[in-house]
PDB file of all heavy atoms in Angstrom:
ATOM      1  N   VAL A   1       0.872  -1.175   0.000  1.00 98.00           N
ATOM      2  CA  VAL A   1       0.000   0.000   0.000  1.00 98.00           C
ATOM      3  C   VAL A   1       0.904   1.218   0.000  1.00 98.00           C
ATOM      4  O   VAL A   1       1.759   1.363   0.878  1.00 98.00           O
ATOM      5  CB  VAL A   1      -0.929   0.023   1.229  1.00 98.00           C
ATOM      6  CG1 VAL A   1      -1.832   1.251   1.192  1.00 98.00           C
ATOM      7  CG2 VAL A   1      -1.743  -1.262   1.321  1.00 98.00           C
ATOM      8  N   ILE A   2       0.723   2.093  -0.990  1.00 98.00           N
ATOM      9  CA  ILE A   2       1.570   3.282  -1.098  1.00 98.00           C
ATOM     10  C   ILE A   2       0.707   4.533  -1.280  1.00 98.00           C
ATOM     11  O   ILE A   2      -0.363   4.474  -1.869  1.00 98.00           O
ATOM     12  CB  ILE A   2       2.569   3.186  -2.278  1.00 98.00           C
ATOM     13  CG1 ILE A   2       1.841   3.199  -3.636  1.00 98.00           C
ATOM     14  CG2 ILE A   2       3.446   1.950  -2.148  1.00 98.00           C
ATOM     15  CD1 ILE A   2       2.766   3.397  -4.827  1.00 98.00           C
ATOM     16  N   PRO A   3       1.203   5.655  -0.772  1.00 98.00           N
ATOM     17  CA  PRO A   3       0.540   6.913  -1.114  1.00 98.00           C
ATOM     18  C   PRO A   3       0.902   7.294  -2.542  1.00 98.00           C
ATOM     19  O   PRO A   3       2.008   6.990  -3.008  1.00 98.00           O
ATOM     20  CB  PRO A   3       1.135   7.907  -0.111  1.00 98.00           C
ATOM     21  CG  PRO A   3       2.488   7.351   0.219  1.00 98.00           C
ATOM     22  CD  PRO A   3       2.354   5.857   0.119  1.00 98.00           C
ATOM     23  N   LYS A   4      -0.007   7.909  -3.244  1.00 98.00           N
ATOM     24  CA  LYS A   4       0.316   8.387  -4.590  1.00 98.00           C
ATOM     25  C   LYS A   4       1.280   9.570  -4.527  1.00 98.00           C
ATOM     26  O   LYS A   4       2.061   9.777  -5.449  1.00 98.00           O
ATOM     27  CB  LYS A   4      -0.960   8.748  -5.349  1.00 98.00           C
ATOM     28  CG  LYS A   4      -1.756   7.503  -5.714  1.00 98.00           C
ATOM     29  CD  LYS A   4      -2.933   7.821  -6.587  1.00 98.00           C
ATOM     30  CE  LYS A   4      -3.598   6.534  -7.058  1.00 98.00           C
ATOM     31  NZ  LYS A   4      -4.753   6.820  -7.921  1.00 98.00           N
ATOM     32  N   LYS A   5       1.258  10.288  -3.436  1.00 97.00           N
ATOM     33  CA  LYS A   5       2.229  11.364  -3.215  1.00 97.00           C
ATOM     34  C   LYS A   5       3.574  10.716  -2.898  1.00 97.00           C
ATOM     35  O   LYS A   5       3.651   9.801  -2.077  1.00 97.00           O
ATOM     36  CB  LYS A   5       1.779  12.231  -2.040  1.00 97.00           C
ATOM     37  CG  LYS A   5       2.782  13.286  -1.633  1.00 97.00           C
ATOM     38  CD  LYS A   5       2.347  14.027  -0.378  1.00 97.00           C
ATOM     39  CE  LYS A   5       3.399  15.050   0.027  1.00 97.00           C
ATOM     40  NZ  LYS A   5       3.028  15.747   1.266  1.00 97.00           N
ATOM     41  N   HIS A   6       4.631  11.189  -3.520  1.00 97.00           N
ATOM     42  CA  HIS A   6       5.945  10.638  -3.227  1.00 97.00           C
ATOM     43  C   HIS A   6       6.438  11.131  -1.871  1.00 97.00           C
ATOM     44  O   HIS A   6       6.612  12.323  -1.647  1.00 97.00           O
ATOM     45  CB  HIS A   6       6.976  11.004  -4.296  1.00 97.00           C
ATOM     46  CG  HIS A   6       8.312  10.387  -4.019  1.00 97.00           C
ATOM     47  ND1 HIS A   6       8.610   9.100  -4.381  1.00 97.00           N
ATOM     48  CD2 HIS A   6       9.391  10.858  -3.364  1.00 97.00           C
ATOM     49  CE1 HIS A   6       9.833   8.809  -3.969  1.00 97.00           C
ATOM     50  NE2 HIS A   6      10.334   9.861  -3.352  1.00 97.00           N
ATOM     51  N   ILE A   7       6.610  10.175  -0.960  1.00 97.00           N
ATOM     52  CA  ILE A   7       7.258  10.397   0.333  1.00 97.00           C
ATOM     53  C   ILE A   7       8.301   9.291   0.410  1.00 97.00           C
ATOM     54  O   ILE A   7       7.963   8.111   0.304  1.00 97.00           O
ATOM     55  CB  ILE A   7       6.261  10.287   1.505  1.00 97.00           C
ATOM     56  CG1 ILE A   7       5.109  11.278   1.346  1.00 97.00           C
ATOM     57  CG2 ILE A   7       6.976  10.482   2.836  1.00 97.00           C
ATOM     58  CD1 ILE A   7       3.966  11.077   2.328  1.00 97.00           C
ATOM     59  N   ALA A   8       9.555   9.637   0.563  1.00 96.00           N
ATOM     60  CA  ALA A   8      10.625   8.644   0.455  1.00 96.00           C
ATOM     61  C   ALA A   8      10.598   7.599   1.573  1.00 96.00           C
ATOM     62  O   ALA A   8      10.844   6.424   1.318  1.00 96.00           O
ATOM     63  CB  ALA A   8      11.987   9.334   0.418  1.00 96.00           C
ATOM     64  N   SER A   9      10.290   8.004   2.800  1.00 96.00           N
ATOM     65  CA  SER A   9      10.306   7.068   3.925  1.00 96.00           C
ATOM     66  C   SER A   9       9.562   7.697   5.094  1.00 96.00           C
ATOM     67  O   SER A   9       9.151   8.861   5.039  1.00 96.00           O
ATOM     68  CB  SER A   9      11.745   6.751   4.338  1.00 96.00           C
ATOM     69  OG  SER A   9      12.328   7.865   4.989  1.00 96.00           O
ATOM     70  N   LEU A  10       9.432   6.945   6.169  1.00 96.00           N
ATOM     71  CA  LEU A  10       8.826   7.506   7.374  1.00 96.00           C
ATOM     72  C   LEU A  10       9.608   8.700   7.893  1.00 96.00           C
ATOM     73  O   LEU A  10       9.039   9.614   8.485  1.00 96.00           O
ATOM     74  CB  LEU A  10       8.711   6.431   8.461  1.00 96.00           C
ATOM     75  CG  LEU A  10       7.605   5.406   8.243  1.00 96.00           C
ATOM     76  CD1 LEU A  10       7.732   4.256   9.241  1.00 96.00           C
ATOM     77  CD2 LEU A  10       6.234   6.041   8.336  1.00 96.00           C
ATOM     78  N   ASP A  11      10.917   8.708   7.660  1.00 96.00           N
ATOM     79  CA  ASP A  11      11.742   9.837   8.084  1.00 96.00           C
ATOM     80  C   ASP A  11      11.424  11.119   7.311  1.00 96.00           C
ATOM     81  O   ASP A  11      11.820  12.203   7.729  1.00 96.00           O
ATOM     82  CB  ASP A  11      13.228   9.523   7.926  1.00 96.00           C
ATOM     83  CG  ASP A  11      13.721   8.520   8.944  1.00 96.00           C
ATOM     84  OD1 ASP A  11      13.063   8.350   9.997  1.00 96.00           O
ATOM     85  OD2 ASP A  11      14.775   7.902   8.703  1.00 96.00           O
ATOM     86  N   ASP A  12      10.739  10.995   6.192  1.00 96.00           N
ATOM     87  CA  ASP A  12      10.425  12.143   5.346  1.00 96.00           C
ATOM     88  C   ASP A  12       8.979  12.620   5.492  1.00 96.00           C
ATOM     89  O   ASP A  12       8.556  13.527   4.779  1.00 96.00           O
ATOM     90  CB  ASP A  12      10.728  11.799   3.888  1.00 96.00           C
ATOM     91  CG  ASP A  12      12.196  11.515   3.684  1.00 96.00           C
ATOM     92  OD1 ASP A  12      13.000  12.450   3.821  1.00 96.00           O
ATOM     93  OD2 ASP A  12      12.545  10.348   3.420  1.00 96.00           O
ATOM     94  N   VAL A  13       8.232  12.019   6.399  1.00 97.00           N
ATOM     95  CA  VAL A  13       6.860  12.441   6.646  1.00 97.00           C
ATOM     96  C   VAL A  13       6.883  13.826   7.287  1.00 97.00           C
ATOM     97  O   VAL A  13       7.698  14.104   8.169  1.00 97.00           O
ATOM     98  CB  VAL A  13       6.146  11.423   7.568  1.00 97.00           C
ATOM     99  CG1 VAL A  13       4.801  11.945   8.023  1.00 97.00           C
ATOM    100  CG2 VAL A  13       5.984  10.085   6.860  1.00 97.00           C
ATOM    101  N   ARG A  14       6.006  14.686   6.822  1.00 97.00           N
ATOM    102  CA  ARG A  14       5.911  16.053   7.327  1.00 97.00           C
ATOM    103  C   ARG A  14       4.557  16.271   8.005  1.00 97.00           C
ATOM    104  O   ARG A  14       3.640  15.478   7.855  1.00 97.00           O
ATOM    105  CB  ARG A  14       6.078  17.067   6.177  1.00 97.00           C
ATOM    106  CG  ARG A  14       7.410  16.942   5.447  1.00 97.00           C
ATOM    107  CD  ARG A  14       8.547  17.379   6.363  1.00 97.00           C
ATOM    108  NE  ARG A  14       9.842  17.119   5.761  1.00 97.00           N
ATOM    109  CZ  ARG A  14      10.738  16.260   6.229  1.00 97.00           C
ATOM    110  NH1 ARG A  14      10.479  15.543   7.292  1.00 97.00           N
ATOM    111  NH2 ARG A  14      11.903  16.090   5.642  1.00 97.00           N
ATOM    112  N   GLU A  15       4.448  17.358   8.708  1.00 97.00           N
ATOM    113  CA  GLU A  15       3.208  17.709   9.402  1.00 97.00           C
ATOM    114  C   GLU A  15       1.995  17.621   8.466  1.00 97.00           C
ATOM    115  O   GLU A  15       0.947  17.109   8.851  1.00 97.00           O
ATOM    116  CB  GLU A  15       3.340  19.132   9.976  1.00 97.00           C
ATOM    117  CG  GLU A  15       2.138  19.622  10.730  1.00 97.00           C
ATOM    118  CD  GLU A  15       2.046  19.110  12.159  1.00 97.00           C
ATOM    119  OE1 GLU A  15       3.080  18.675  12.702  1.00 97.00           O
ATOM    120  OE2 GLU A  15       0.939  19.141  12.713  1.00 97.00           O
ATOM    121  N   GLU A  16       2.155  18.084   7.245  1.00 97.00           N
ATOM    122  CA  GLU A  16       1.023  18.082   6.308  1.00 97.00           C
ATOM    123  C   GLU A  16       0.652  16.681   5.817  1.00 97.00           C
ATOM    124  O   GLU A  16      -0.372  16.508   5.164  1.00 97.00           O
ATOM    125  CB  GLU A  16       1.303  18.999   5.108  1.00 97.00           C
ATOM    126  CG  GLU A  16       2.457  18.559   4.224  1.00 97.00           C
ATOM    127  CD  GLU A  16       3.795  19.180   4.573  1.00 97.00           C
ATOM    128  OE1 GLU A  16       3.957  19.758   5.661  1.00 97.00           O
ATOM    129  OE2 GLU A  16       4.694  19.079   3.721  1.00 97.00           O
ATOM    130  N   ASP A  17       1.449  15.669   6.160  1.00 98.00           N
ATOM    131  CA  ASP A  17       1.167  14.285   5.740  1.00 98.00           C
ATOM    132  C   ASP A  17       0.381  13.500   6.788  1.00 98.00           C
ATOM    133  O   ASP A  17       0.023  12.347   6.538  1.00 98.00           O
ATOM    134  CB  ASP A  17       2.483  13.551   5.441  1.00 98.00           C
ATOM    135  CG  ASP A  17       3.266  14.200   4.319  1.00 98.00           C
ATOM    136  OD1 ASP A  17       2.646  14.639   3.331  1.00 98.00           O
ATOM    137  OD2 ASP A  17       4.508  14.266   4.436  1.00 98.00           O
ATOM    138  N   LYS A  18       0.101  14.094   7.950  1.00 97.00           N
ATOM    139  CA  LYS A  18      -0.585  13.365   9.025  1.00 97.00           C
ATOM    140  C   LYS A  18      -1.921  12.796   8.572  1.00 97.00           C
ATOM    141  O   LYS A  18      -2.223  11.637   8.850  1.00 97.00           O
ATOM    142  CB  LYS A  18      -0.817  14.271  10.240  1.00 97.00           C
ATOM    143  CG  LYS A  18       0.416  14.571  11.028  1.00 97.00           C
ATOM    144  CD  LYS A  18       0.149  15.252  12.352  1.00 97.00           C
ATOM    145  CE  LYS A  18      -0.849  16.362  12.299  1.00 97.00           C
ATOM    146  NZ  LYS A  18      -0.971  17.097  13.573  1.00 97.00           N
ATOM    147  N   GLU A  19      -2.710  13.584   7.879  1.00 97.00           N
ATOM    148  CA  GLU A  19      -4.019  13.114   7.439  1.00 97.00           C
ATOM    149  C   GLU A  19      -3.878  11.962   6.441  1.00 97.00           C
ATOM    150  O   GLU A  19      -4.611  10.974   6.517  1.00 97.00           O
ATOM    151  CB  GLU A  19      -4.810  14.264   6.808  1.00 97.00           C
ATOM    152  CG  GLU A  19      -6.222  13.866   6.434  1.00 97.00           C
ATOM    153  CD  GLU A  19      -7.024  15.035   5.899  1.00 97.00           C
ATOM    154  OE1 GLU A  19      -6.909  16.150   6.446  1.00 97.00           O
ATOM    155  OE2 GLU A  19      -7.762  14.819   4.926  1.00 97.00           O
ATOM    156  N   LEU A  20      -2.919  12.065   5.529  1.00 98.00           N
ATOM    157  CA  LEU A  20      -2.690  11.006   4.548  1.00 98.00           C
ATOM    158  C   LEU A  20      -2.275   9.705   5.232  1.00 98.00           C
ATOM    159  O   LEU A  20      -2.779   8.633   4.900  1.00 98.00           O
ATOM    160  CB  LEU A  20      -1.629  11.440   3.533  1.00 98.00           C
ATOM    161  CG  LEU A  20      -1.213  10.408   2.488  1.00 98.00           C
ATOM    162  CD1 LEU A  20      -2.399   9.933   1.652  1.00 98.00           C
ATOM    163  CD2 LEU A  20      -0.099  10.971   1.609  1.00 98.00           C
ATOM    164  N   LEU A  21      -1.379   9.777   6.210  1.00 97.00           N
ATOM    165  CA  LEU A  21      -0.957   8.562   6.906  1.00 97.00           C
ATOM    166  C   LEU A  21      -2.096   7.944   7.710  1.00 97.00           C
ATOM    167  O   LEU A  21      -2.243   6.718   7.734  1.00 97.00           O
ATOM    168  CB  LEU A  21       0.257   8.833   7.793  1.00 97.00           C
ATOM    169  CG  LEU A  21       1.575   8.511   7.107  1.00 97.00           C
ATOM    170  CD1 LEU A  21       1.812   9.334   5.877  1.00 97.00           C
ATOM    171  CD2 LEU A  21       2.709   8.577   8.064  1.00 97.00           C
ATOM    172  N   GLY A  22      -2.893   8.768   8.329  1.00 97.00           N
ATOM    173  CA  GLY A  22      -4.077   8.256   9.025  1.00 97.00           C
ATOM    174  C   GLY A  22      -5.033   7.588   8.055  1.00 97.00           C
ATOM    175  O   GLY A  22      -5.605   6.533   8.351  1.00 97.00           O
ATOM    176  N   TYR A  23      -5.189   8.172   6.887  1.00 98.00           N
ATOM    177  CA  TYR A  23      -6.054   7.602   5.861  1.00 98.00           C
ATOM    178  C   TYR A  23      -5.538   6.226   5.423  1.00 98.00           C
ATOM    179  O   TYR A  23      -6.306   5.281   5.286  1.00 98.00           O
ATOM    180  CB  TYR A  23      -6.119   8.565   4.665  1.00 98.00           C
ATOM    181  CG  TYR A  23      -7.003   8.077   3.552  1.00 98.00           C
ATOM    182  CD1 TYR A  23      -8.385   8.195   3.645  1.00 98.00           C
ATOM    183  CD2 TYR A  23      -6.467   7.495   2.416  1.00 98.00           C
ATOM    184  CE1 TYR A  23      -9.205   7.743   2.616  1.00 98.00           C
ATOM    185  CE2 TYR A  23      -7.271   7.040   1.394  1.00 98.00           C
ATOM    186  CZ  TYR A  23      -8.643   7.165   1.504  1.00 98.00           C
ATOM    187  OH  TYR A  23      -9.447   6.705   0.501  1.00 98.00           O
ATOM    188  N   ILE A  24      -4.228   6.119   5.215  1.00 98.00           N
ATOM    189  CA  ILE A  24      -3.640   4.839   4.818  1.00 98.00           C
ATOM    190  C   ILE A  24      -3.933   3.784   5.882  1.00 98.00           C
ATOM    191  O   ILE A  24      -4.372   2.674   5.564  1.00 98.00           O
ATOM    192  CB  ILE A  24      -2.125   4.979   4.575  1.00 98.00           C
ATOM    193  CG1 ILE A  24      -1.862   5.831   3.328  1.00 98.00           C
ATOM    194  CG2 ILE A  24      -1.466   3.608   4.438  1.00 98.00           C
ATOM    195  CD1 ILE A  24      -0.407   6.249   3.158  1.00 98.00           C
ATOM    196  N   MET A  25      -3.688   4.105   7.145  1.00 97.00           N
ATOM    197  CA  MET A  25      -3.937   3.139   8.215  1.00 97.00           C
ATOM    198  C   MET A  25      -5.404   2.743   8.267  1.00 97.00           C
ATOM    199  O   MET A  25      -5.735   1.577   8.476  1.00 97.00           O
ATOM    200  CB  MET A  25      -3.511   3.713   9.572  1.00 97.00           C
ATOM    201  CG  MET A  25      -2.014   3.911   9.727  1.00 97.00           C
ATOM    202  SD  MET A  25      -1.096   2.355   9.704  1.00 97.00           S
ATOM    203  CE  MET A  25      -0.326   2.452   8.110  1.00 97.00           C
ATOM    204  N   PHE A  26      -6.296   3.695   8.057  1.00 97.00           N
ATOM    205  CA  PHE A  26      -7.724   3.408   8.039  1.00 97.00           C
ATOM    206  C   PHE A  26      -8.083   2.470   6.887  1.00 97.00           C
ATOM    207  O   PHE A  26      -8.858   1.528   7.056  1.00 97.00           O
ATOM    208  CB  PHE A  26      -8.515   4.719   7.928  1.00 97.00           C
ATOM    209  CG  PHE A  26      -9.989   4.505   7.813  1.00 97.00           C
ATOM    210  CD1 PHE A  26     -10.741   4.162   8.927  1.00 97.00           C
ATOM    211  CD2 PHE A  26     -10.628   4.636   6.589  1.00 97.00           C
ATOM    212  CE1 PHE A  26     -12.110   3.949   8.821  1.00 97.00           C
ATOM    213  CE2 PHE A  26     -11.993   4.429   6.479  1.00 97.00           C
ATOM    214  CZ  PHE A  26     -12.739   4.087   7.594  1.00 97.00           C
ATOM    215  N   LYS A  27      -7.504   2.702   5.711  1.00 98.00           N
ATOM    216  CA  LYS A  27      -7.837   1.899   4.536  1.00 98.00           C
ATOM    217  C   LYS A  27      -7.223   0.503   4.579  1.00 98.00           C
ATOM    218  O   LYS A  27      -7.758  -0.425   3.983  1.00 98.00           O
ATOM    219  CB  LYS A  27      -7.411   2.609   3.245  1.00 98.00           C
ATOM    220  CG  LYS A  27      -8.148   3.890   2.954  1.00 98.00           C
ATOM    221  CD  LYS A  27      -9.648   3.719   2.922  1.00 98.00           C
ATOM    222  CE  LYS A  27     -10.144   3.166   1.611  1.00 98.00           C
ATOM    223  NZ  LYS A  27     -11.616   3.186   1.489  1.00 98.00           N
ATOM    224  N   ILE A  28      -6.109   0.322   5.283  1.00 98.00           N
ATOM    225  CA  ILE A  28      -5.460  -0.990   5.323  1.00 98.00           C
ATOM    226  C   ILE A  28      -6.415  -2.057   5.841  1.00 98.00           C
ATOM    227  O   ILE A  28      -6.475  -3.152   5.275  1.00 98.00           O
ATOM    228  CB  ILE A  28      -4.147  -0.938   6.128  1.00 98.00           C
ATOM    229  CG1 ILE A  28      -3.041  -0.310   5.252  1.00 98.00           C
ATOM    230  CG2 ILE A  28      -3.728  -2.323   6.609  1.00 98.00           C
ATOM    231  CD1 ILE A  28      -1.721  -0.086   5.951  1.00 98.00           C
TER     232      ILE A  28
END
């Protein structure tokens, strides 16, 4: 499962990615 937005790794997650990561966990 990948975001369509390019984020290289967990180390590259930014504040604005919180909603996207929550969405991924919800969809899994």
